[in-house]
Amino acid sequence: MDDLQTRKDDTLKAITAADNADAVEALRVEALGKQGWVSQLLKTLGKMTPEERTEKAPIIQQSRAEIADAITARKQALDDAEQDRRLATETLDLSLPAPATPRGTVHPVSQVMDELAEIFADLGFAVKTGPEVEDDWHNFTALNMPESHPARAMHDTFYFPDHDEDGRRMLLRTHTSPVQIRTMVNEGAPVRIIAPGRVYRSDSDATHTPMFHQVEGLVIDKDIHLGHLKWTLETFLKAFFERDDIVLRLRPSYFPFTEPSVEVDVGFEVVKGRRVLGGSGDAPGHAWMELLGSGMVNARVIEFAGLDPEEWQGFAFGVGVDRLAMLKYGMDDLRAFFDGDIRWLQHYGFSPFDQPTLSAGVGVSA
Ligand code: DAH
């Protein structure tokens, strides 16, 4: 115990003398870390007789508390000194003139995400996000893609070598659909959300990049049917493309997480070499283009998320945000989105002062 007293005094002295955060941290690890000497002493308590423990436990615990307090105090003092130093040396010249024109631009992906949030907020949708580093339960299993499901192979998934504490395989999410599960699990029903964000697949050419953006939509409520889905998508696309003549075609398709599943096509024509949405794809000079995937949420997915599918049902959709941006603003190479070329950003970027609003228009050009 004399040893303990000496060692504690030495540690406290060293803490007071430490002149940077790393040194304090090293002392903390040495004393209080998992392998630290105080922690080791605490472990010996279990092997003592009750009498010995009653005598020694308070002394060791008291030492631990003193060292912990000293460390907190020293870290605070170092932080304060650093702040004082910066306040004394850094200056900000408020009399400098602002640049004549704002230099930065809002990236088209950010702009489109703001537009989506604006349009869907008006329809009563909240915006949700989820982690980009996901586990395979949320990304696949709960979306009705069990281990052996062939759709898993279609996703070209980036896996991490690690598993989480529940033994789930970790991955970079391949779509925004896991946010459906997270929202239902965390918040229950009803649900009315969109979930924009980054997704990752091992794929790369002029129209595919290893990272891209999607927006997911999910509505869970009572007596929801395909008509609600079609109306919602039509209302969204008319607002987004700022045209009343957007015509949709719903085609039967297959996704594991929806039943029935529909692929949504939109009518377009080619004007001056550019695809312009509007009109029926069956009209003269027009054609259909595949735009997004959707469907009625599979009862199994609702069950996986802990809700009763007899009581709750709904629809979901997923669409590429970069794709929406290209169609609306006319870029033709997806890879340029992520090059960070200042000339591209100046050309396709938006003024930070042009916030998309439904009243002023969601498509104000820079
Ligand atoms: N998660 C799908 C994908 O990335 C897209 C999708 C399709 C999302 C249908 C949905 C849906 O919510 O209902 O390929």
Side-chain angles (χ1 to χ4, degrees):
M1 281 296 129
D2 283 350
D3 261 12
L4 168 61
Q5 186 65 40
T6 321
R7 206 149 179 205
K8 184 190 77 183
D9 289 345
D10 287 351
T11 305
L12 292 176
K13 260 187 232 142
I15 292 170
T16 320
D19 61 359
N20 64 69
D22 287 346
V24 179
E25 178 59 15
L27 288 162
R28 188 192 65 77
V29 173
E30 196 185 308
L32 309 180
K34 264 204 191 120
Q35 305 300 328
W37 61 271
V38 180
S39 312
Q40 297 299 331
L41 276 178
L42 282 168
K43 276 190 206 145
T44 61
L45 290 177
K47 297 193 197 83
M48 293 177 185
T49 61
E51 296 74 34
E52 213 181 345
R53 195 177 311 132
T54 326
E55 185 203 327
K56 295 201 174 144
I59 305 177
I60 304 176
Q61 279 151 357
Q62 168 71 22
S63 302
R64 179 180 58 180
E66 276 179 53
I67 293 173
D69 288 348
I71 285 171
T72 313
R74 188 66 196 142
K75 281 192 175 158
Q76 187 61 50
L78 287 168
D79 278 356
D80 290 350
E82 169 63 12
Q83 186 166 2
D84 286 347
R85 189 194 62 75
R86 289 181 50 188
L87 285 173
T89 54
E90 287 178 12
T91 55
L92 180 62
D93 186 351
L94 292 174
S95 64
L96 280 176
T101 48
R103 304 250 180 84
T105 56
V106 174
H107 194 285
V109 169
S110 306
Q111 175 76 15
V112 165
M113 284 185 177
D114 287 349
E115 294 175 13
L116 295 171
E118 178 66 19
I119 293 169
F120 277 102
D122 196 53
L123 299 174
F125 284 64
V127 176
K128 295 282 162 193
T129 54
E132 289 168 29
V133 177
E134 252 305 355
D135 59 70
D136 69 348
W137 189 83
H138 286 93
N139 195 80
F140 291 126
T141 313
L143 288 161
N144 197 29
M145 280 183 268
E147 200 89 35
S148 57
H149 202 287
R152 281 204 186 196
M154 287 167 58
H155 277 222
D156 299 315
T157 312
F158 288 112
Y159 285 99
F160 289 95
D162 311 330
H163 295 235
D164 72 359
E165 56 276 13
D166 299 322
R168 293 172 178 168
R169 246 183 126 178
M170 300 305 286
L171 44 80
L172 287 174
R173 68 174 179 192
T174 57
H175 51 179
T176 42
S177 303
V179 185
Q180 292 188 25
I181 306 297
R182 289 186 175 274
T183 308
M184 286 189 273
V185 168
N186 293 338
E187 298 173 20
V191 174
R192 210 189 284 178
I193 57 139
I194 58 166
R198 293 190 188 108
V199 301
Y200 302 83
R201 290 189 203 177
S202 170
D203 204 352
S204 188
D205 59 39
T207 52
H208 297 90
T209 46
M211 184 282 299
F212 58 105
H213 300 84
Q214 287 188 336
V215 61
E216 194 80 12
L218 176 69
V219 169
I220 299 286
D221 212 318
K222 301 194 171 170
D223 304 321
I224 299 290
H225 54 73
L226 266 182
H228 294 118
L229 167 63
K230 189 171 187 218
W231 181 87
T232 304
L233 291 176
E234 246 165 30
T235 304
F236 147 53
L237 292 168
K238 283 179 180 173
F240 181 74
F241 288 106
E242 298 183 289
R243 290 180 70 120
D244 272 336
D245 63 345
I246 299 286
V247 182
L248 300 185
R249 179 175 77 173
L250 270 51
R251 224 169 359 93
S253 182
Y254 174 77
F255 300 103
F257 30 89
T258 46
E259 181 58 41
S261 301
V262 287
E263 204 117 36
V264 177
D265 298 338
V266 58
F268 74 97
E269 62 183 321
V270 176
V271 181
K272 292 192 202 129
R274 211 184 121 181
R275 291 173 160 202
V276 177
L277 301 198
S280 161
D282 294 328
H286 283 65
W288 295 108
M289 116 169 65
E290 192 184 305
L291 189 64
L292 55 88
S294 62
M296 301 305 296
V297 180
N298 193 311
R300 287 180 56 88
V301 172
I302 294 182
E303 251 179 343
F304 267 119
L307 298 174
D308 177 3
E310 298 286 334
E311 189 181 357
W312 302 103
Q313 54 289 137
F315 65 79
F317 58 88
V319 52
V321 173
D322 317 287
R323 177 100 195 288
L324 288 175
M326 290 168 89
L327 283 169
K328 183 165 178 180
Y329 296 114
M331 310 81 163
D332 54 10
D333 190 341
L334 178 62
R335 288 169 297 196
F337 274 59
F338 312 119
D339 282 345
D341 185 326
I342 199 84
R343 293 160 302 178
W344 190 92
L345 292 167
Q346 292 289 349
H347 183 78
Y348 288 112
F350 292 81
S351 161
F353 301 117
D354 266 342
Q355 286 295 318
T357 61
L358 282 182
S359 50
V362 285
V364 230
S365 272

